[in-house]
Amino acid sequence: MHNKTKLLIFASLLLAACSTDPMQEIPNRGDSAPEIETSGKICNTSDDAVAGSLIVKFGEEAIPSLEQNALNAAKTRSALTRSGIESVDDILNDLHVTSLERVFPEAGEHEARTRAAGLHRWYVLRFASEEDLDKAAERLAGVAEISKVQFRTRLYRASDCKTYPFQATANGQTRALVTADFNDPNLFWQWHYINNADQAIATTSQAGVDINVAEAWKLTAGNPEVIVAIVDEGVKYTHPDLAANMWINPNPSPEYKNQDIHGWNFAADGSISWGQKGDSGHGTHVAGTVAVNNNGIGVCGVAGGTGKGDGVRLMSCQIFSGDLTGDALVSSRAVKYAADHGASILQCSWGIKAGIYTSDNMFIKQSPMDYEALQYFAAQKNCEALDGGLIIFSAGNESTAMSGYPAGYRDYISVTSFSPDYLPANYTNYGSGCNIAAPGGETSGLSGGEKAGVLSTLCSETSNGADYGYMQGTSMACPHVSGVAALGLSYALEKGKRYSLDEFKTMLLTSVNEIDSRLGEGSKATIADVSIYRGKMGTGITDAYQLLMQIEGTPCLQVALGEVQLIPLTQHFGQGAEDLTYTDIQMSAKDMEKLGIKAAPKMYNGKLMIKCTKPGSAKIKVSAIAGGTKPGTGVVMGGMVITKEFAVIARSAGAANGGWL
């Protein structure tokens, strides 16, 4: 224990220069003695890499010497520059290394699990920017005590980062159509939450092309025990629409100068920032989509609460800062911080461009430190409702038929993007590795211009004084899914339910409305052939209400608008469902009016007959007799009355399987 305490002191006193940044990453094998194969140890290439810095992973046998040297350096309040291993230090001397430090500092109460994950073996070294990175990597890889060498390649936001300040106008048809219990005045411009085919958004808008969250808000609007880490640009925690939902660190750390109140700026190694040259408000926009609600100002977010101190909490883990762009070192540190400080959802609207990695094995091999940090996050149980950490990435904006990475990795959720016309956004990646679709908008190409983008919070310092505005991208789609997931965990907490990570991901990815029926032969203004996206946008469009129904245990019926649907009830009343005697169907007049149902639903030839003319969600109860054609009474022997409750989800396109989810 004493040594661990000393290590913590060492970590906080190391005076290494802060990182600039870029990204890529990677692992490998390698070990040997005299003749060492170096090519297997060098994980990635130096293309687009940070100059004057490399990341290495030491073998376990080298750690005692490194840590002893670190303790000695800490005693003299000097930066660690040498390892105490002769063969390594010869190279460090030749490179004139000015800093050698653990990538993941000593973690106090979390140090044991840090070591169990092998994260204590990763070190970053810094030297003059003029040094040849490839030669330096080759020399380091030739040392037996070093098992991996990784270049720090740049990461990119999944957005063009263009912002369009919001200007209130009175010509939105949606103002009169949007109905929700929340009082945020500009909710009616947020088609991505409640879409009523407002022509001011786009003449091609389709009713119901949203995440179906209004009904979900009646059940839960978010729980502060659920913490979402916004790994992105800094979140403007003083924003009037965000301040109430910011995570507050109960124990700021000396390691972060006691300034990690709402998170930390890992790019600049300082306090969270958002108004520097090069900042776009990207992180603040993403954060507003996850959590803002019902405070009488501005806009709504998905899981921001009811304005009564509830709502999920936002942790700002900053990896882009001004002109400093994220890389493996910065992002991995941010991910581990989130894991060690209580986050249960990792919201990541960034990544490596599609096509650079084309398989999970490539990602693991070439981005080993990133992979290990993400797996560490996934292993933590920071929410009582979930046995693990949920990782959500944007699929990327290269219009490519595969996801970018890390999004494409099989255990992480990759989010594609659609527009208010029910069709894929022209920039979205799609295909292999993509899991689910959400609103990302299109700020050009549709008649409403920027209004067809996603409206959320912005930084006035970088958007001409505007606190709100539009952006587009899978960056904007991703936080919708993070918000829906946060609502789901909030509802699970309320219901006292707990899920494995795989169980929850399965529920999230099956709580969807289909999109493929819209993707036949044809085009839109910005896409020549929409059919290329068919079967490639993930499982469908994320639906908040359906997720809550799955948690509640209420099955969902998907019903296409404007058509009489005959829905078999076999899945829920058994294989003999069509032969049962049905006694009652209950649906309130209010719910019938909400879905535009003019003729009361009834059973016809053993199937539920229903016709909805308005998009929305409501509940219906169906009763049948189990055993015979009449219920038992005090004087007549008969069957048992059984009742099932369903949630009806009415949308403008129906599923090809007859309406069942």
Side-chain angles (χ1 to χ4, degrees):
M1 286 300 294
H2 292 302
N3 284 340
K4 289 180 180 178
T5 302
K6 290 178 181 177
L7 283 173
L8 196 149
I9 295 171
F10 134 64
S12 62
L13 290 175
L14 290 180
L15 304 176
C18 299
S19 53
T20 53
D21 336 317
M23 155 154 196
Q24 213 162 354
E25 357 312 336
I26 342 299
N28 184 230
R29 315 188 83 82
D31 312 322
S32 235
E35 292 294 324
I36 297 172
E37 174 56 48
T38 61
S39 61
K41 292 185 177 184
I42 299 175
C43 305
N44 54 340
T45 73
S46 60
D47 294 344
D48 201 20
V50 173
S53 184
L54 285 169
I55 299 167
V56 298
K57 188 174 188 179
F58 284 94
E60 190 63 54
E61 72 282 357
I63 298 303
S65 178
L66 276 161
E67 293 183 346
Q68 184 57 55
N69 258 29
L71 289 172
N72 294 339
K75 289 176 183 177
T76 60
R77 294 181 172 270
S78 57
L80 179 68
T81 60
R82 300 296 181 265
S83 67
I85 302 166
E86 184 176 358
S87 57
V88 176
D89 288 343
D90 285 345
I91 301 172
L92 302 187
N93 283 327
D94 290 347
L95 291 174
H96 305 291
V97 166
T98 57
S99 167
L100 175 66
E101 63 174 325
R102 264 179 57 165
V103 169
F104 307 103
E106 209 281 349
E109 63 179 308
H110 303 306
E111 180 65 7
R113 71 188 192 190
T114 300
R115 289 176 173 270
L119 296 182
H120 66 299
R121 294 167 51 197
W122 286 101
Y123 278 72
V124 56
L125 51 93
R126 296 183 177 87
F127 43 85
S129 59
E130 294 78 22
E131 292 286 350
D132 186 305
L133 279 178
D134 289 298
K135 289 181 180 178
E138 192 73 21
R139 290 196 65 189
L140 289 164
V143 178
E145 290 81 1
I146 291 176
S147 62
K148 299 182 193 299
V149 181
Q150 183 171 331
F151 296 99
R152 296 173 54 187
T153 315
R154 286 182 175 83
L155 291 167
Y156 294 92
R157 305 164 182 84
S159 169
D160 58 15
C161 291
K162 293 180 181 178
T163 61
Y164 302 85
F166 172 73
Q167 294 180 339
T169 59
N171 63 350
Q173 294 179 16
T174 307
R175 177 186 289 275
L177 296 173
V178 167
T179 56
D181 294 336
F182 291 163
N183 60 13
D184 306 87
N186 296 312
L187 169 61
F188 70 93
W189 284 113
Q190 295 180 287
W191 62 268
H192 31 108
Y193 301 145
I194 306 172
N195 190 339
N196 285 297
D198 185 356
Q199 300 298 288
I201 301 294
T203 55
T204 52
S205 289
Q206 296 288 321
V209 186
D210 51 45
I211 65 168
N212 196 22
V213 73
E215 289 298 313
W217 284 334
K218 295 177 181 179
L219 301 173
T220 184
N223 187 311
E225 292 181 35
V226 178
I227 300 171
V228 181
I230 309 296
V231 185
D232 208 294
E233 286 186 21
V235 177
K236 184 178 179 179
Y237 54 78
T238 59
H239 193 292
D241 231 354
L242 287 170
N245 286 97
M246 293 303 302
W247 169 73
I248 299 175
N249 188 353
N251 299 298
S253 170
E255 173 190 334
Y256 301 104
K257 307 165 190 175
N258 296 317
Q259 295 300 308
D260 58 328
I261 309 300
H262 303 295
W264 189 248
N265 184 340
F266 294 91
D269 194 23
S271 299
I272 298 166
S273 62
W274 55 79
Q276 301 179 44
K277 181 181 179 182
D279 287 333
S280 67
H282 189 271
T284 297
H285 196 276
V286 163
T289 298
V290 174
V292 166
N293 267 351
N294 206 39
N295 54 10
I297 61 172
V299 297
C300 274
V302 181
T306 62
K308 299 176 181 177
D310 52 358
V312 303
R313 294 299 181 253
L314 302 167
M315 177 190 295
S316 182
C317 296
Q318 186 172 357
I319 65 169
F320 302 102
S321 182
D323 293 328
L324 302 178
T325 181
D327 72 296
L329 173 70
V330 173
S331 62
S332 295
R333 281 178 166 173
V335 167
K336 187 173 187 297
Y337 180 95
D340 286 345
H341 288 80
S344 52
I345 297 174
L346 203 66
Q347 156 56 43
C348 305
S349 287
W350 48 270
I352 302 166
K353 292 182 178 180
I356 293 178
Y357 298 154
T358 56
S359 72
D360 289 356
N361 287 344
M362 280 186 70
F363 170 62
I364 295 171
K365 176 176 175 7
Q366 296 183 35
S367 294
M369 188 174 69
D370 304 58
Y371 172 72
E372 289 181 25
L374 288 165
Q375 293 302 98
Y376 178 86
F377 181 91
Q380 307 316 317
K381 302 175 181 179
N382 290 331
C383 175
E384 286 298 318
L386 187 63
D387 289 335
L390 186 64
I391 299 171
I392 305 176
F393 275 91
S394 50
N397 298 340
E398 292 83 51
S399 307
T400 301
M402 67 177 67
S403 174
Y405 271 85
Y409 184 72
R410 60 184 177 272
D411 289 337
Y412 316 149
I413 292 173
S414 175
V415 185
T416 61
S417 175
F418 65 85
S419 305
D421 55 6
Y422 223 139
L423 298 174
N426 62 349
Y427 52 78
T428 188
N429 289 346
Y430 57 99
S432 299
C434 298
N435 304 121
I436 195 168
E442 285 189 69
T443 55
S444 61
L446 299 179
S447 62
E450 72 274 7
K451 295 181 182 65
V454 170
L455 176 60
S456 185
T457 47
L458 279 180
C459 303
S460 57
E461 294 84 352
T462 58
S463 56
N464 297 319
D467 284 325
Y468 305 94
Y470 299 92
M471 296 183 80
Q472 70 169 13
T474 56
S475 276
M476 285 58 253
C478 187
H480 283 86
V481 177
S482 294
V484 169
L487 277 184
L489 291 182
S490 298
Y491 201 47
L493 286 172
E494 181 180 321
K495 295 293 183 180
K497 296 189 176 183
R498 187 180 185 98
Y499 301 98
S500 73
L501 193 54
D502 285 343
E503 286 173 334
F504 190 80
K505 285 189 290 188
T506 297
M507 290 194 299
L508 180 63
L509 294 178
T510 56
S511 297
V512 295
N513 292 304
E514 67 86 40
I515 190 173
D516 280 352
S517 67
R518 314 291 302 188
L519 304 179
E521 296 297 327
S523 64
K524 61 183 271 188
T526 56
I527 297 176
D529 180 10
V530 298
S531 68
I532 64 172
Y533 297 90
R534 188 173 178 85
K536 298 177 181 178
M537 291 292 286
T539 54
I541 294 172
T542 189
D543 187 304
Y545 184 70
Q546 286 191 46
L547 178 59
L548 301 195
M549 289 300 97
Q550 287 211 51
I551 290 167
E552 190 177 274
T554 301
C556 295
L557 287 168
Q558 288 183 316
V559 179
L561 292 180
E563 301 174 8
V564 175
Q565 302 279 289
L566 286 173
I567 304 172
L569 302 182
T570 306
Q571 264 187 287
H572 297 284
F573 278 97
Q575 290 300 313
E578 293 188 23
D579 299 320
L580 291 177
T581 298
Y582 292 90
T583 61
D584 190 28
I585 297 178
Q586 298 178 33
M587 192 175 203
S588 71
K590 180 179 179 181
D591 281 348
M592 287 178 59
E593 194 283 327
K594 180 167 59 176
L595 298 184
I597 298 174
K598 295 181 172 57
K602 64 180 181 179
M603 297 302 299
Y604 180 78
N605 288 339
K607 296 181 176 67
L608 177 65
M609 179 184 286
I610 187 170
K611 180 179 180 180
C612 302
T613 61
K614 297 178 183 177
S617 304
K619 288 188 176 180
I620 187 172
K621 289 183 179 180
V622 179
S623 298
I625 298 172
T629 59
K630 296 180 180 180
T633 68
V635 294
V636 177
M637 182 183 296
M640 178 187 298
V641 175
I642 55 176
T643 300
K644 288 276 190 175
E645 184 173 47
F646 306 96
V648 175
I649 313 293
R651 286 293 181 267
S652 60
N657 61 0
W660 282 98
L661 182 65

